[in-house]
Amino acid sequence: MQVVGIGGGSAAGKSTLARRVTARQSGAALLSLDDYFRTDREAGPFTAPDAAGVRHFDLNHPDAVDWSRVHAALEDHRRCGTALLIVEGTFALVSPDLRGRMTLRVFLAAPEDLRLERKAARNLAERGVPPEVTRRNHALSARPGFRQFVAGSAAHADLILNGEEDPDGNARILLERLR
């Protein structure tokens, strides 16, 4: 089984790229790390306190991911005979254990201002979250999490793609690398 990891900042276009690749490749499956956030949130990780002194569960920290469930899902795909598994998520290239299982490691790079605007638009459309709330949360958690954990994971990539480019073009490039 080939395992491709697609990492990068929030709203860089990872999910879009992963869906395009999966749709173009017979026998491909998608595993999104967003589906593996821990449900037991009592122990953290937590954000720094906001203006009201409240700390929130920090989805921009790799410890928010239930890595044991991720690895179990990888094994399930291996046992089921999945030919190509796309693992996408902000922390896809952060975990050394997960990286070690990958055939190809891809980092999707996009400027912070573009990622923030994409995320604000998505949060408003999908969740009704006002853009100012997304911007505040970005400053409190997403920006520091990206800088501390995600940005450096680009050094582990075999391929860095531009998240400002056409996702279909990026999908073609990625699939060519697998051939």
Side-chain angles (χ1 to χ4, degrees):
M1 172 173 77
Q2 290 186 302
V3 178
V4 174
I6 302 174
S10 181
K14 299 176 303 297
S15 298
T16 300
L17 176 59
R19 285 191 302 269
R20 302 283 169 94
V21 169
T22 304
R24 290 172 178 225
Q25 188 67 35
S26 178
L30 176 59
L31 189 151
S32 174
L33 293 182
D34 285 356
D35 296 333
Y36 293 86
F37 283 115
R38 291 189 8 243
T39 55
D40 171 21
R41 296 180 173 194
E42 297 300 316
F46 297 106
T47 63
D50 62 18
V54 178
R55 294 180 343 144
H56 301 278
F57 188 76
D58 190 357
L59 295 171
N60 294 289
H61 191 291
D63 289 346
V65 176
D66 186 338
W67 294 106
S68 63
R69 285 181 49 228
V70 171
H71 291 293
L74 282 169
E75 288 308 311
D76 287 346
H77 280 284
R78 189 178 311 282
R79 279 193 301 276
C80 292
T82 301
L84 172 64
L85 180 63
I86 306 295
V87 178
E88 71 84 14
T90 304
F91 304 115
L93 303 184
V94 171
S95 165
D97 211 26
L98 183 57
R99 279 195 318 266
R101 295 172 168 222
M102 293 176 181
T103 310
L104 179 66
R105 292 167 293 279
V106 179
F107 188 88
L108 195 57
E112 182 179 13
D113 59 340
L114 174 64
R115 290 186 292 107
L116 177 56
E117 290 312 309
R118 284 177 177 172
K119 187 169 187 172
R122 181 180 65 204
N123 284 351
L124 180 61
E126 294 178 6
R127 301 179 187 110
V129 176
E132 61 273 10
V133 172
T134 298
R135 287 183 182 90
R136 183 181 67 236
N137 291 341
H138 179 80
L140 180 66
S141 177
R143 180 182 296 130
F146 178 82
R147 289 178 179 166
Q148 185 174 0
F149 304 110
V150 181
S153 73
H156 302 291
D158 303 305
L159 177 63
I160 297 177
L161 295 173
N162 184 343
E164 294 180 280
E165 295 293 327
D166 173 40
D168 288 320
N170 280 338
R172 280 191 296 277
I173 293 167
L174 192 158
L175 287 168
E176 281 297 318
R177 281 296 293 266
L178 290 175
R179 289 188 171 84

